[in-house]
Amino acid sequence: MASLRGILFDHDGTLVDSEMTHFEMWETILGEYGAQLTQACYQRHYAGIPTSTNASDMVSRFAMPVSASQLVAAKEELNRDFLAQRAFPLRAGAYDAVTGCRAAGLRTAIVTGAGRAGVDMTLRSYVLSDHIDEVVSGDDVVLSKPAPDCYQLALQRLDLPAEQCVAVEDTEHGVAAATAAGIPCLAVPTAMSKHHDFSNAAGIFETLDAAIEWVMTEYRLCRP
């Protein structure tokens, strides 16, 4: 087994509990056009998917009288308004996962398919900036998850080979992106993503704490 030198965390759904808020934003936007987005529909088709991809599908699925770009603009406005007031809440174990891995000598990165604003608010609000070496967001790449581009860029910035890293994700698309970049990926599903296909994950865990404990044990790392 190669030695472990880096750990790459997804943001929404993995480090922060944001999916219900994203659902409520989309529910509000579609409701303005008379379309009803149920939680079940969001779970099945939209959880963990980039905004632009969701918008394109919604225009088709709900026969929307607007363009995908208009839906994207509306979603980004609601997201900006939310983040101007507060950060998304951390998922249980997220702070200890990031700080513990950094203290154990690993390089750390956040790799998200969403925009950079949400990550920046998380880092500021929970005083995590000193524990994260690199951030790659959907703003940095042309193709977002499930394409491997964001993870490939993170490896380049960290100057680490894929085989010396592990990724942590909460969705099928996230796992696909990491594994396509050659990075073993651990899945920590949420209530929104528990139905996803995680057959390509290196392990599936109920909690972030359990995933990090596996990393520490599997790679014989010492917690400080």
Side-chain angles (χ1 to χ4, degrees):
M1 179 186 299
S3 61
L4 186 67
R5 296 175 58 196
I7 186 163
L8 294 75
F9 296 97
D10 172 50
H11 184 247
D12 290 83
T14 298
L15 292 181
V16 297
D17 188 2
S18 58
E19 284 296 352
M20 183 56 69
T21 300
H22 288 307
F23 160 67
E24 291 170 352
M25 290 179 186
W26 279 122
E27 182 184 35
T28 297
I29 293 167
L30 268 61
E32 292 176 354
Y33 296 96
Q36 182 180 13
L37 177 66
T38 65
Q39 188 172 332
C41 180
Y42 181 83
Q43 275 185 254
R44 179 170 296 276
H45 300 291
Y46 303 119
I49 308 298
T51 299
S52 58
T53 304
N54 280 346
S56 295
D57 185 274
M58 289 170 178
V59 167
S60 174
R61 186 179 304 276
F62 297 101
M64 304 290 290
V66 293
S67 67
S69 62
Q70 287 175 287
L71 291 186
V72 169
K75 175 63 163 57
E76 289 179 344
E77 181 179 2
L78 288 183
N79 203 58
R80 281 195 302 271
D81 290 345
F82 181 93
L83 292 172
Q85 302 176 53
R86 68 191 78 87
F88 293 113
L90 288 179
R91 284 193 71 185
Y95 184 86
D96 289 343
V98 171
T99 58
C101 286
R102 190 71 180 83
L106 297 178
R107 302 291 305 285
T108 56
I110 292 178
V111 182
T112 177
R116 176 73 185 246
V119 177
D120 287 343
M121 179 60 85
T122 295
L123 296 180
R124 288 196 302 271
S125 299
Y126 302 110
V127 196
L128 282 169
S129 296
D130 290 344
H131 305 282
I132 294 292
D133 294 303
E134 297 289 345
V135 174
V136 174
S137 75
D139 299 334
D140 298 315
V141 295
V142 174
L143 297 177
S144 191
K145 301 174 185 179
D149 302 38
C150 53
Y151 275 106
Q152 291 170 338
L153 181 56
L155 292 174
Q156 180 182 332
R157 290 181 176 178
L158 289 170
D159 193 24
L160 292 176
E163 61 270 19
Q164 292 185 355
C165 295
V166 164
V168 185
E169 285 275 0
D170 70 299
T171 67
E172 177 181 347
H173 277 70
V175 172
T179 54
I183 306 170
C185 188
L186 308 182
V188 186
T190 67
M192 287 287 194
S193 64
K194 62 184 180 181
H195 63 287
H196 286 194
D197 179 3
F198 292 111
S199 57
N200 289 327
I204 305 172
F205 302 87
E206 291 188 3
T207 66
L208 196 50
D209 285 336
I212 299 305
E213 185 61 37
W214 182 90
V215 169
M216 295 293 172
T217 301
E218 187 75 6
Y219 291 95
R220 299 177 183 176
L221 299 174
C222 297
R223 291 182 183 271

